[in-house]
Amino acid sequence: MLNVRAAVIEAKDGPFVFRDVDVDEPRADEIVVRVVATGICQADAHVRSQGYASPLPLVLGHEGAGIVEHIGASVRSVVPGDRVVMSFPSCGYCDECLGGHPAYCVHNLQLSFGAARLDGTNAFHDVHGHFFGQSSFATYALARAARRAAMPLRAAAHHRSCRRCPTPPPHCARPRAASRASSHCP
Ligand SMILES: [Zn+2]
Ligand SMILES: [Zn+2]
């Protein structure tokens, strides 16, 4: 069991409340990232105001970066100590994902705003988590090690498109490249 310090939105338009939260250990395809930095943008604000009705209480945060602390048994893409940026979640097996366009994953909205894994489970105790597959408003984030979901910094540095807000249009107000070429990063 992990114990993290998280900024939790408990009610519509409520403040960020700093709480200790228990989180299950990572599954085989998941990693734990010690969060060093995270951004905040309109997608977080939309959920706080319940413009997007993700369940509350919830740990928001979808632009996290940090250092890999633990990895699941099947993870090969990163090792403990790697510096990573966490990007948008994708399922890895839909037609868009298999076609090399994970930004257009048909499960993107569910994985981003559903506040649970795709199988409906929630590793967070007493609060909802898994926001954008990371909930990075916390000292530690649980993320999948899938392609692009948690990208080593050395790779991300070569792919500027991966470093913008990961929210797919039209859910984020920040401009994004409309081209699908932006989803070809490793
Ligand atoms: Zn997919
Ligand atoms: Zn954003």
Side-chain angles (χ1 to χ4, degrees), residues 57-59 112 114-117 122-124 127-135:
L58 173 64
V59 182
S112 297
R117 298 184 181 101
N122 175 22
F124 293 64
V127 299
H128 297 279
H130 304 279
F131 185 63
F132 276 78
Q134 56 180 276
S135 285

Side-chain angles (χ1 to χ4, degrees), residues 49-115:
S49 65
Q50 290 288 274
Y52 297 151
S54 297
L56 303 178
L58 173 64
V59 182
L60 294 168
H62 64 289
E63 300 176 354
I67 299 169
V68 176
E69 190 91 358
H70 304 295
I71 62 173
S74 66
V75 172
R76 299 289 180 270
S77 56
V78 295
V79 296
D82 274 353
R83 294 181 294 168
V84 294
V85 292
M86 289 174 278
S87 186
F88 57 84
S90 57
C91 75
Y93 57 79
C94 72
D95 286 347
E96 293 287 1
C97 284
L98 293 176
H101 306 293
Y104 292 85
C105 173
V106 299
H107 299 293
N108 183 292
L109 285 181
Q110 184 179 352
L111 285 167
S112 297
F113 296 100

Side-chain angles (χ1 to χ4, degrees), residues 40-44 62-63 165-167 172 174:
I40 183 170
C41 89
Q42 197 62 37
D44 303 292
H62 64 289
E63 300 176 354
C165 169
T167 313
C172 182
R174 287 195 200 176

